[in-house]
């Protein structure tokens, strides 16, 4: 069985306390690897290494950073099957999702490479005579990232690659469930020739990490993807330290289907948007809000479609529904289903589990007073909600503490744009599912779904400091 070490200051090192934990395959429940866990001393080594490297890396020429990111992309291109294997075994990804995720990151790295040359300031007119006024962007220094388990390779690499492109050094804490995926990122950058100390990857238990990232003054920014509860705590703690933070948190994303929609197409979009990766996606369209005239037909077609979904071995290319990352989540889904049915919803399909595998589940006639309407299920369960018209659909969509992503299916272009501007979400996808991402877009949400944006030049703005510089040409007359 393979053993994985920490990556600190360009070296693969064992835990200083010799703490090694089992890495569990969620599909089988068996141990498939063992991973060293960082101690407080190991964290200090990682932070110190990143801090030492910050000036040299921050002053590296843009074309040199670009070349390393492009080499990392080429290295990953060769290793896509290897990374996909880890995503299947460690994260419970189905074969198709794993291949998509690994391939997406190749383009992400190339996109980040392009950002190295696009970190720009501006010149500004001055009210004072003889003054040349300009702004420049400088790296923050050390950034710490905390990654989630659901798309662990994509979301962690996005944080790392964009931070490096901006000239920052980085400390990555992979998700507890998926530490090896984070260490694969270190392997790829090591092969690409990244200087020592620029990237450090430290699997660490939350009890050991504590508030280290927040309280250490050498770390200038935290970028976090995870639950709203943890994000709220991090935000409050970071605020007390005047520390920059970006948060991509939970969601209860709506997909509005208006009465003029192509029902078959809407069903396909809805099914993809909730059942990809067993519904363990922050932007999954877990609330389907359907106009009354097509509500029954939509429910019937959706139930028929998912009745053919294969549930089981994630290595089988035909599998649609693989395992949940932790079988304990099945109890959450059971609670949501039971509450909905007790309050009048109809269970059209699913509602059962075996081990970590939960059947794709449809609840029809869900209303705002049900738990499943409000709480994030993070599993393969979807609520179908009846709306009398488009205005009620909008009201139901916005009736949530979350505001990450959303979708809207209609052939009425004017109505589509009107509703998209009024939807309370950081992202709106017209005639598509709510699940969408590209390397260069401003990815992020509002309300309890977080703050800040990740992707392209938007990350360059988040991960650099804007500095105003003036040059006095000639002698300025002073009043005294």
């Amino acid at each position: 069985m393979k053993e994985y070490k920490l990556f600190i200051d360009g070296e693969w090192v064992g835990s200083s306390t010799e703490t090694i934990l089992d890495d569990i395959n969620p599909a089988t429940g068996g141990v498939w690897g063992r991973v060293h866990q960082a101690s407080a001393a190991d964290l200090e080594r990682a932070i110190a290494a990143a801090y030492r490297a910050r000036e040299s890396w921050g002053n590296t020429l843009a074309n040199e950073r670009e070349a390393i990111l492009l080499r990392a992309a080429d290295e990953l291109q060769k290793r896509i099957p290897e990374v996909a294997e880890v995503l299947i075994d460690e994260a419970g990804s189905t074969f198709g999702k794993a291949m998509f995720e690994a391939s997406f990151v190749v383009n992400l790295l190339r996109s980040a490479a392009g950002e190295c040359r696009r970190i720009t300031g501006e010149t500004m007119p001055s009210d004072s005579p003889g003054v040349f006024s300009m702004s420049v962007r400088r790296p923050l220094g050390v950034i710490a990232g905390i990654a989630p388990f659901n798309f662990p390779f994509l979301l962690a690499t996005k944080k790392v690659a964009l931070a490096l492109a901006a000239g920052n050094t980085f400390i990555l804490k992979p998700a507890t469930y998926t530490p090896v995926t984070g260490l694969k990122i270190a392997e790829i950058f090591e092969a690409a020739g990244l200087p020592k100390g620029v990237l450090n990857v430290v699997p660490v238990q939350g009890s050991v990490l504590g508030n280290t990232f927040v309280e250490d003054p050498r770390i200038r920014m935290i970028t976090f993807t995870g639950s709203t509860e943890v994000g709220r705590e991090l935000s409050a703690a970071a605020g007390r330290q005047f520390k920059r933070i970006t948060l991509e948190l939970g969601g209860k994303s709506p997909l509005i289907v208006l009465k003029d929609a192509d029902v078959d197409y809407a069903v396909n979009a809805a099914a993809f948007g909730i059942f990809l990766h067993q519904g363990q996606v922050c932007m999954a369209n877990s609330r389907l809000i359907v106009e009354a005239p097509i509500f029954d037909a939509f429910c019937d077609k959706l139930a028929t479609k998912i009745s053919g979904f294969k549930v089981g071995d994630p290595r089988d290319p035909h599998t649609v529904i693989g395992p949940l990352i932790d079988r304990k989540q099945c109890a959450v889904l059971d609670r949501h289903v039971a509450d909905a049915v007790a309050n009048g919803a109809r269970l059209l399909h699913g509602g059962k589990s075996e081990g970590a595998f939960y059947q794709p589940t449809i609840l029809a006639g869900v209303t705002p007073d049900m738990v499943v309407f409000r709480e994030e299920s993070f599993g393969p369960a979807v609520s179908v909600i009846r709306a009398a018209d488009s205005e009620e659909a909008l009201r139901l969509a916005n009736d949530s503490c979350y505001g990450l992503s959303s979708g809207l299916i209609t052939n009425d272009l004017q109505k589509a744009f009107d509703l998209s501007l009024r939807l309370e979400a950081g992202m709106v996808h017209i005639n598509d599912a709510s699940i969408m991402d590209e390397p260069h877009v401003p990815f992020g949400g509002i309300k309890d779904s977080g703050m800040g944006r990740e992707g392209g030049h938007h990350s360059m703005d988040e991960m650099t400091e804007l500095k105003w510089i003036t040059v006095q040409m000639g002698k300025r007359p002073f009043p005294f």
Side-chain angles (χ1 to χ4, degrees), residues 416-424 428:
F417 274 98
D418 173 56
L419 294 177
S420 69
L421 292 173
R422 292 192 286 151
L423 272 165
E424 295 173 357
V428 182

Side-chain angles (χ1 to χ4, degrees), residues 279-290:
Q280 299 173 121
V281 184
C282 53
M283 51 182 163
N285 44 232
S286 53
R287 292 185 300 149
L288 307 178
I289 303 170
V290 184

Side-chain angles (χ1 to χ4, degrees), residues 310-371:
K310 182 177 177 59
V311 180
D313 182 6
R315 290 186 172 280
D316 185 339
H318 301 291
T319 295
V320 176
I321 306 292
L324 295 174
I325 194 71
D326 190 329
R327 63 187 61 193
K328 293 177 183 176
Q329 189 65 19
C330 292
V332 175
L333 290 158
D334 286 341
R335 177 171 63 86
H336 287 182
V337 170
D339 175 81
V341 171
N343 286 284
R346 292 179 294 129
L347 180 62
L348 301 185
H349 192 277
K352 298 178 182 179
S353 63
E354 183 176 346
F357 295 87
Y358 206 93
Q359 294 290 321
T361 298
I362 306 173
L363 291 162
V366 168
T367 54
D369 58 311
M370 299 175 187
V371 174

Side-chain angles (χ1 to χ4, degrees), residues 18-39:
E18 298 183 351
T19 303
I20 306 173
L21 297 183
D22 293 338
D23 200 8
I24 305 298
N25 181 320
T28 66
V31 179
W32 75 277
R34 307 205 70 213
V35 182
H36 286 248
Q37 302 294 305
S39 65

Side-chain angles (χ1 to χ4, degrees), residues 104 108 111 154 158 283 436-443 454-456:
F104 182 100
L108 190 159
S111 176
L154 190 163
K158 180 184 287 189
M283 51 182 163
M436 175 76 77
D437 191 12
E438 293 184 6
H440 57 289
V441 303
F443 189 99
E454 285 187 340

Side-chain angles (χ1 to χ4, degrees), residues 141-196:
V142 181
I143 296 178
I146 302 174
F149 70 80
N150 55 345
F151 275 77
F153 192 63
L154 190 163
L155 295 175
T157 308
K158 180 184 287 189
K159 298 177 186 302
V160 170
L162 291 165
L164 300 187
N168 300 290
T169 57
F170 204 88
I171 304 161
L172 172 65
K173 179 208 173 297
T176 302
Y177 288 115
T178 54
V180 174
T181 305
L183 294 166
K184 288 294 172 184
I185 299 170
E187 289 181 10
I188 288 164
F189 274 105
E190 181 185 36
L194 188 68
K196 290 185 176 184

